[in-house]
């Protein structure tokens, strides 16, 4: 008999909550909720992409905001020249993130540990300073978009359309990650995380597996960048900053490294906590840092990761004594 686990129940409740947000926002007359939870969906996609590296590949990328920014600038630059075709925006983002991911990955994959972290950070900072120097596209001030991406059948120019597009991309990203990590590719990637030297001795091309994971993660993060540009109708070099990369890492750790729904849960907790603390105090960053440290220390597997994946079972019934047996 099929039995649900606490993780399955939490994942189902989380997706149901996100699916009901548009109806609740319309009922309460709170359009701000669509923008807030739309941001949760976008960063949930980006954190899910990073989790493929961090959780299943053991690669700590401290420059993953590079691909979030590349996706956003793909929309901004093309829109600047009057190109509003969403498919071209998406194609440019995927192509740019795949190319940069492969080139930077080929360099970073030759290293490990602190060196890997610093190289990914260095590539992100290179593109950050490149974006600040693009005076024709706003430079350090960024630039506003005048229209959302047009995909023909729908256009990302309304909060509701963007929300459902982000929700669909999130579901697709979760399905893709589930298939990847349970396929032979995912098993080999996790083997590289556990003992790369042994995997090489067994004949596995570990560099190819790790580089492929890095490129896939970069592309998915770039798609999140396309959604982010349409969500804010604004593109800024701050999307590529190291602080944005740090936030993505915190989301993954907060939700649960190496779990499918952990990054989404982490993005939800992080962004809701940020908005709530901003209303309470101007020193919200200090309070938020202390709360995140407390959560991580109390549950090192994260909010979602701390839930058991064992199926829930009803307590066993006491055995019935045969009739006539003495008590």
């Amino acid at each position: 008999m099929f039995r649900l686990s606490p993780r399955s129940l939490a994942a189902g409740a989380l997706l149901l909550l996100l699916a009901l947000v548009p109806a609740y926002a319309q009922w309460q007359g709170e359009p701000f909720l669509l923008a807030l939870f739309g941001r949760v969906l976008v960063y949930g996609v980006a954190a899910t992409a990073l989790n493929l590296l961090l959780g299943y590949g053991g690669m700590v990328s401290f420059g993953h905001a590079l691909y979030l920014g590349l996706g956003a600038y793909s929309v901004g630059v093309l829109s600047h020249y009057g190109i509003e075709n969403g498919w071209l925006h998406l194609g440019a983002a995927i192509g740019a993130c795949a190319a940069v991911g492969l080139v930077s990955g080929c360099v970073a994959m030759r290293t490990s540990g602190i060196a890997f972290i610093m190289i990914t950070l260095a590539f992100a900072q290179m593109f950050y300073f490149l974006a600040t120097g693009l005076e024709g596209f706003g430079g350090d001030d960024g630039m506003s978009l005048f229209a959302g991406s047009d995909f023909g059948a729908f256009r990302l120019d309304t909060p509701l359309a963007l929300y459902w597009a982000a929700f669909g991309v999130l579901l697709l990203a979760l399905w893709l990650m589930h298939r990847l990590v349970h396929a032979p590719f995912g098993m080999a990637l996790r083997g590289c995380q556990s003992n790369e030297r042994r995997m090489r001795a067994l004949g596995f091309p570990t560099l190819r597996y790790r580089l492929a994971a890095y490129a896939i993660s970069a592309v998915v993060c770039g798609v999140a960048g396309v959604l982010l540009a349409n969500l804010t109708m604004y593109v800024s070099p701050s999307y590529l900053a190291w602080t944005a990369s740090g936030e993505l890492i915190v989301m993954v750790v907060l939700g649960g490294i190496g779990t499918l729904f952990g990054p989404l849960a982490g993005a939800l907790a992080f962004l809701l906590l940020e908005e709530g603390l901003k209303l309470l105090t101007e020193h919200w960053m200090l309070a938020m840092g202390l709360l995140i440290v407390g959560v991580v220390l109390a549950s090192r597997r994260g909010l979602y990761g701390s839930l058991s994946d064992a199926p829930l079972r009803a307590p066993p019934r006491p055995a019935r004594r045969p009739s006539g047996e003495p008590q």
Side-chain angles (χ1 to χ4, degrees):
M1 181 179 179
F2 178 73
R3 297 183 186 275
L4 294 176
S5 67
R7 285 190 182 182
S8 300
L9 292 174
L14 183 57
L15 291 179
L16 180 61
L17 167 68
L18 294 173
L20 292 177
V21 165
Y24 181 79
Q26 184 177 8
W27 177 44
Q28 293 293 322
E30 293 287 350
F32 170 72
L33 290 177
L34 278 181
L36 174 59
F37 282 89
R39 193 161 168 248
V40 170
L41 294 176
V42 171
Y43 277 93
V45 173
T48 298
L50 176 59
N51 187 49
L52 179 64
L53 291 182
L54 186 59
Y56 297 105
M59 295 173 278
V60 183
S61 172
F62 204 64
H64 232 56
L66 163 62
Y67 307 106
L68 191 69
L70 281 178
Y73 267 90
S74 297
V75 178
V77 171
L78 291 178
S79 297
H80 179 77
Y81 291 106
I83 301 175
E84 299 179 1
N85 189 308
W87 298 111
L88 290 179
H89 293 173
L90 185 61
I94 292 175
C97 291
V100 174
L102 288 173
V103 172
S104 62
C106 284
V107 177
M109 293 302 161
R110 306 291 178 178
T111 64
S112 61
I114 297 297
F116 181 88
I117 296 173
M118 297 308 296
I119 287 177
T120 56
L121 174 61
F123 272 103
Q125 289 301 100
M126 285 168 53
F127 278 85
Y128 169 78
F129 287 112
L130 174 63
T132 59
L134 295 176
E135 298 296 337
F137 302 107
D140 193 36
D141 296 325
M143 62 179 176
S144 298
L145 305 182
F146 298 102
S149 299
D150 185 4
F151 287 90
F154 62 95
R155 188 182 185 118
L156 302 182
D157 56 354
T158 64
L160 185 60
L162 178 65
Y163 187 90
W164 285 120
F167 188 73
V169 171
L170 174 67
L171 294 180
L172 183 60
L174 290 172
W175 175 82
L176 174 64
M177 295 304 164
H178 175 76
R179 292 299 299 259
L180 281 176
V181 299
H182 290 89
F185 172 83
M187 300 298 180
L189 184 63
R190 281 186 273 187
C192 295
Q193 178 186 14
S194 300
N195 194 324
E196 185 177 0
R197 182 178 298 179
R198 179 174 294 180
M199 292 294 291
R200 285 199 301 265
L202 292 173
F204 286 90
T206 58
L207 178 61
R208 295 181 188 176
Y209 281 107
R210 296 173 69 223
L211 182 58
Y214 190 87
I216 292 171
S217 178
V219 167
V220 175
C221 204
V223 174
V226 172
L227 295 172
L228 181 61
N230 282 277
L231 174 67
T232 59
M233 296 302 292
Y234 178 74
V235 175
S236 167
S238 62
Y239 293 164
L240 299 98
W242 66 269
T243 52
S245 298
E247 288 177 354
L248 290 178
I249 293 177
V250 170
M251 291 175 190
V252 175
V253 174
L254 186 61
I257 297 177
T259 61
L260 184 62
F261 284 87
L264 176 59
L268 177 65
F270 182 90
L271 294 175
L272 291 185
L273 189 61
E274 180 183 22
E275 291 296 328
L277 291 175
K278 282 180 179 178
L279 298 176
L280 297 177
T281 174
E282 61 180 2
H283 305 294
W284 62 271
M285 286 187 285
L286 174 61
M288 187 171 185
L290 293 175
L291 286 173
I292 290 174
V293 170
V295 170
V296 173
L297 290 178
S299 176
R300 295 186 179 182
R301 300 179 64 189
L303 297 173
Y304 179 81
S306 61
L307 299 176
S308 173
D309 56 358
L312 297 173
R313 298 183 181 277
R317 296 181 179 179
R320 298 182 59 182
R321 297 179 179 273
S323 57
E325 181 177 338
Q327 299 293 326

